[in-house]
Amino acid sequence: MSVVVGPQSGYDEKGQVAPQVTVVQPGYGYGPPPGYGGAPQPGYGAPIPQPGMMMSPPPNFVVPAGLPAGMAYLATLDEIKVHQILELAEVLVGWERNNRYDICNGQEQKFMFAKEDTDCCTRQMCGVMRPFIMNITDNYEQPLMRLNRPLKCQGSIFWCCCLQEMEIESPPGVLQGTVKEIWTCWIPKYKVLDAQNQTVFTIIGDCCYCKCCQDVVFRVLEGETENEVAQIAKHWSGCREVFGGANDFSIKFPANLDLMKKTLLFGATFLIDFNYFEYRGNN
């Protein structure tokens, strides 16, 4: 990914229009200058669509301190789609492999990739209880985020004392927040905390999250309030889900939501996936 930085929108000291900050995602380039390698290109400097994507952040947009510049692409999105990649080896022989995910925008254009990093023995022995590191990169394989889930027992009579949690780092090594499971009698509930341990979101799911042929929706509430600001939906994936256990999610939020909050909510989706929908690990 490349970041072209110039003066913000407006006029410079000479009274000329100044360029805006533009974030170019992999797969997009700029047309060659007139006479370079062929015929002159009208509108030289404008992005030329190629397989991939491009987006400019809002005027005067500044990536929050600590976040990688590549996260700026999320600034204008109102939806993220997470598609787990179907692993044929798991379907044929039941051998658990590292989970992989394509991360797309609302138009199904891939702009990130997530891959689990867990050793083979841990995957086979621990199943869905396994600890993992999830590395998230852009289309150029530049690291953007890392999710770290420690080992916590599940299915124990003391399960209320072994609640799941996961750290969200962006860039890898810099803690931005934590997702913590909250004990309730029957419904899934999570707190999403920032780096200062303040509650950013409360996520609440349905009491029944095993719905055949239906979507499962998790409501995202602002802080400790009842104000719903976003949704995480696990979509019914048909044959992909029945035979391969490959899950599809979408995260919907206001386009003007704070970038750091979008980052934390996106990361929380992976813990929800492992806690409720990675059923193959129980086989």
Side-chain angles (χ1 to χ4, degrees):
M1 184 206 70
S2 61
V3 181
V4 181
V5 181
Q8 298 297 325
S9 57
Y11 295 87
D12 58 19
E13 64 278 2
K14 297 182 180 180
Q16 298 178 336
V17 177
Q20 294 183 346
V21 176
T22 301
V23 175
V24 182
Q25 289 293 331
Y28 265 75
Y30 286 83
Y36 179 83
Q41 301 293 320
Y44 164 63
I48 299 176
Q50 297 172 5
M53 59 187 50
M54 173 269 184
M55 178 167 290
S56 299
N60 302 319
F61 177 79
V62 178
V63 178
L67 285 182
M71 298 299 293
Y73 180 74
L74 297 180
T76 56
L77 294 185
D78 60 2
E79 182 177 14
I80 301 174
K81 295 187 176 182
V82 180
H83 300 300
Q84 186 174 355
I85 297 174
L86 181 64
E87 301 288 355
L88 293 180
E90 291 186 359
V91 176
L92 297 176
V93 300
W95 190 257
E96 187 76 15
R97 301 190 62 185
N98 280 319
N99 284 5
R100 298 182 299 154
Y101 304 81
D102 285 334
I103 316 301
C104 304
N105 62 12
Q107 290 72 49
E108 297 291 354
Q109 296 171 308
K110 176 182 171 182
F111 65 95
M112 286 184 187
F113 177 76
K115 183 178 180 180
E116 177 188 355
D117 183 8
T118 307
D119 66 82
C120 181
C121 182
T122 299
R123 293 196 305 273
Q124 311 315 317
M125 298 298 294
C126 298
V128 295
M129 295 185 296
R130 65 185 182 266
F132 67 77
I133 290 176
M134 188 74 65
N135 294 307
I136 301 175
T137 64
D138 63 15
N139 287 348
Y140 278 142
E141 299 185 355
Q142 296 300 308
L144 297 178
M145 297 176 63
R146 182 170 66 195
L147 311 178
N148 182 15
R149 180 207 193 186
L151 178 63
K152 295 278 188 176
C153 294
Q154 288 179 321
S156 165
I157 59 174
F158 302 110
W159 65 270
C160 60
C161 300
C162 301
L163 299 172
Q164 302 298 301
E165 62 181 57
M166 184 180 69
E167 295 179 341
I168 301 173
E169 301 174 357
S170 182
V174 180
L175 180 66
Q176 300 294 354
T178 308
V179 186
K180 294 186 176 182
E181 185 180 14
I182 305 300
W183 184 86
T184 66
C185 293
W186 60 83
I187 62 171
K189 186 175 182 180
Y190 295 86
K191 295 289 186 183
V192 181
L193 312 174
D194 60 19
Q196 288 73 45
N197 213 35
Q198 300 297 310
T199 301
V200 179
F201 297 115
T202 301
I203 302 175
I204 299 177
D206 294 335
C207 59
C208 179
Y209 50 83
C210 298
K211 297 181 179 180
C212 182
C213 303
Q214 296 185 46
D215 293 348
V216 180
V217 176
F218 293 77
R219 298 188 302 129
V220 180
L221 310 178
E222 184 177 19
E224 305 278 358
T225 71
E226 292 296 323
N227 180 30
E228 184 173 332
V229 294
Q231 283 189 348
I232 299 174
K234 186 267 177 187
H235 300 289
W236 173 248
S237 304
C239 292
R240 275 168 37 86
E241 183 170 339
V242 173
F243 298 106
N247 300 314
D248 296 316
F249 292 84
S250 67
I251 309 106
K252 295 184 178 180
F253 37 64
N256 61 354
L257 185 68
D258 180 77
L259 176 58
M260 184 66 75
K261 293 182 178 181
K262 290 182 180 181
T263 301
L264 296 177
L265 192 57
F266 166 56
T269 304
F270 292 89
L271 184 59
I272 291 174
D273 178 30
F274 270 82
N275 277 4
Y276 300 108
F277 304 109
E278 287 295 307
Y279 56 83
R280 287 165 302 164
N282 294 326
N283 294 339

